[in-house]
Amino acid sequence: MLANKSQHLQWMEIDLDKLVYNVKALRNHLTKGAKFSAVVKKNAYGCGAATIAKAALKAGADSLAVHSLEEAMVLRQAGITSPILVMGPILTTEVKHAVEQRLVCTVVDREIARALSKASEKSGDVTEVHVKVDTGLHRFGTSLEDAPSLISYIYRLSNLGLTGLYTHFSSADEIDRTQTKLQLYRFLKLAKDFPEIELMHAANSAATLQFPETHLDVVRVGIAIYGLYPSVSVKKTVSLKPILSLKTRVVRVHSLKIGEGVSYGLTWIAPRDSVVALVPFGYGHGLPRLLSNRGDVLIRGRRAPIRGVVCMDQSIIDVTHIPGMQVGDEVTIIGRQGDEEITASEIAGLTNTINYEIISRLPAALPRIYLQK
Ligand SMILES: *Cc1c(COP(=O)(O)O)cnc(C)c1O
């Protein structure tokens, strides 16, 4: 599929061949017998849930995981029939949909277990559930102490099928392994009392890359399928290819005399006669305003600095060093041009956040162009 890029002023390009490559490479890295769940929450980290989910399944993912019921419904509406784990909370008033759509729900207390069982009984279904246990992240889940009695309670409900037990690590992307080892130890200690539960799982991308002993029955991999590493300290045991590029094009090229400033507040004053390019891409499109006077973009295969403040819909780029600039020139905000590359991780580093935030906050309205050979 060759994309016709000329119809957009701002767009994302998502390389599905690279997604397939990442999923396969990560699967090959798993300990024997471990299954692969592709995490496609938050619109597949900004990359478009249904398309990414279908490609990941085709590449060998065994199942999908999302945060919310709504996200799962989007996948079902797109015709996806694979198992989908809803990892976040669902309302007792929503359980009907979860049952109807045959979602795998996370159970953390008796109330939601009871509501799911009741709704399943009504329609004559048995709904699959996983129990999430909090082993130290202290976020969502049932406590280690309460887990055994919750599990027994679920066993007494005839319309629930408990097929999984899982936990989530707080610090798997750090160099110090102490916390991950402790959480794994706590989890396995609980798990060994319930050998009949089919799927024990714990690993996110960081643990999948660094700690084979956490792979267990399933890994839940998010950021790595998009070709990004969870943090700078994570070992690159699998070489990943970023799938997402973010692009715009030059809409004006003009000259500044030495001493003239650009953008609101004139926070950058040309230290020499300069040439600047205007791009119709601003913080409203996902270019952090913190990149004002800090970040670069790529034009004609070269890095070019952002000058002045990033506006809601526009930004100004210094192209004094780039000959032959023309209106219409393609500008890469995230991605590669020749030997130069700007990654979501680079932008995250400059703006004091993580690559997850940079990509998952990209507006749903940006056109997404999928590339596939
Ligand atoms: C988001 C999430 C994952 C995936 O995390 P990555 O770091 O993106 O791999 C796995 N498990 C749970 C519970 C999550 O919320």
Side-chain angles (χ1 to χ4, degrees):
M1 182 171 78
L2 234 165
N4 177 6
K5 300 169 194 167
S6 64
Q7 42 186 324
H8 301 297
L9 285 172
Q10 315 85 14
W11 71 99
M12 290 165 64
E13 285 174 17
I14 291 147
D15 190 328
L16 294 176
D17 293 328
K18 288 182 178 157
L19 177 86
V20 168
Y21 165 89
N22 292 332
V23 170
K24 287 188 171 162
L26 287 157
R27 282 200 79 211
N28 284 337
H29 174 72
L30 299 186
T31 56
K32 204 159 177 275
K35 291 186 173 179
F36 193 98
S37 178
V39 180
V40 294
K41 63 191 177 195
K42 206 36 90 228
N43 198 24
Y45 293 46
C47 294
T51 308
I52 294 293
K54 284 177 184 170
L57 290 166
K58 221 171 151 193
D62 301 284
S63 62
L64 302 168
V66 293
H67 184 72
S68 70
L69 180 72
E70 253 175 28
E71 291 169 341
M73 304 277 272
V74 166
L75 299 175
R76 283 287 184 257
Q77 272 151 26
I80 293 168
T81 56
S82 75
I84 303 174
L85 172 65
V86 178
M87 299 186 292
I90 60 172
L91 295 168
T92 50
T93 49
E94 295 176 327
V95 290
K96 181 169 153 269
H97 304 290
V99 172
E100 266 170 22
Q101 300 297 327
R102 303 206 150 274
L103 305 177
V104 182
C105 295
T106 295
V107 167
V108 296
D109 57 41
R110 292 174 182 221
E111 195 188 355
I112 193 69
R114 207 179 315 123
L116 274 167
S117 182
K118 259 199 179 148
S120 309
E121 202 179 328
K122 259 189 201 153
S123 54
D125 290 300
V126 174
T127 296
E128 241 187 89
V129 298
H130 289 197
V131 165
K132 184 172 193 186
V133 55
D134 174 10
T135 56
L137 174 63
H138 298 133
R139 200 174 66 177
F140 190 52
T142 189
S143 71
L144 274 166
E145 296 70 39
D146 293 343
S149 76
L150 177 61
I151 292 170
S152 314
Y153 182 77
I154 292 170
Y155 283 155
R156 294 199 295 274
L157 296 169
S158 48
N159 291 77
L160 294 189
L162 179 57
T163 55
L165 180 65
Y166 75 104
T167 192
H168 193 40
F169 294 122
S170 65
S171 314
D173 62 334
E174 290 174 8
I175 292 169
D176 185 343
R177 303 175 168 216
T178 317
Q179 170 70 2
T180 306
K181 280 189 170 158
L182 181 62
Q183 284 188 263
L184 183 65
Y185 170 79
R186 289 170 176 159
F187 181 68
L188 292 178
K189 195 162 166 250
L190 171 72
K192 92 172 164 8
D193 290 336
F194 302 96
E196 70 284 2
I197 299 177
E198 184 189 334
L199 301 172
M200 300 292 176
H201 51 113
N204 54 4
S205 293
T208 300
L209 289 166
Q210 306 201 99
F211 310 119
E213 68 275 24
T214 65
H215 293 179
L216 310 180
D217 299 314
V218 196
V219 297
R220 305 184 306 267
V221 183
I223 198 79
I225 69 172
Y226 308 99
L228 301 174
Y229 294 94
S231 76
V232 285
S233 45
V234 165
K235 280 198 232 136
K236 299 183 174 176
T237 52
V238 177
S239 108
L240 301 171
K241 299 181 179 177
I243 70 166
L244 174 150
S245 304
L246 191 55
K247 297 188 171 177
T248 182
R249 62 183 68 257
V250 172
V251 292
R252 182 188 178 203
V253 180
H254 63 117
S255 306
L256 294 178
K257 288 260 181 315
I258 182 170
E260 288 181 318
V262 294
S263 196
Y264 292 125
L266 307 180
T267 60
W268 185 76
I269 306 291
R272 43 164 165 65
D273 289 352
S274 301
V275 182
V276 291
L278 179 67
V279 292
F281 204 104
Y283 58 79
H285 303 106
L287 182 68
R289 193 171 176 279
L290 283 169
L291 287 181
S292 300
N293 288 311
R294 300 183 69 193
D296 290 337
V297 299
L298 305 179
I299 307 180
R300 293 185 170 249
R302 299 175 68 178
R303 280 183 176 258
I306 297 169
R307 301 297 195 198
V309 297
V310 171
C311 307
M312 189 182 294
D313 288 296
Q314 311 179 68
S315 305
I316 292 155
I317 313 299
D318 191 345
V319 292
T320 312
H321 59 300
I322 304 177
M325 285 295 308
Q326 278 181 1
V327 167
D329 279 353
E330 192 169 300
V331 176
T332 298
I333 290 167
I334 294 175
R336 181 178 276 283
Q337 282 192 10
D339 293 337
E340 288 287 355
E341 184 176 26
I342 293 175
T343 61
S345 308
E346 174 183 332
I347 293 177
L350 286 169
T351 56
N352 199 17
T353 183
I354 53 176
N355 51 22
Y356 294 74
E357 185 179 6
I358 300 297
I359 65 170
S360 69
R361 286 175 65 126
L362 291 173
L366 272 186
R368 287 171 175 76
I369 295 172
Y370 293 97
L371 309 176
Q372 192 161 38
K373 291 224 178 69

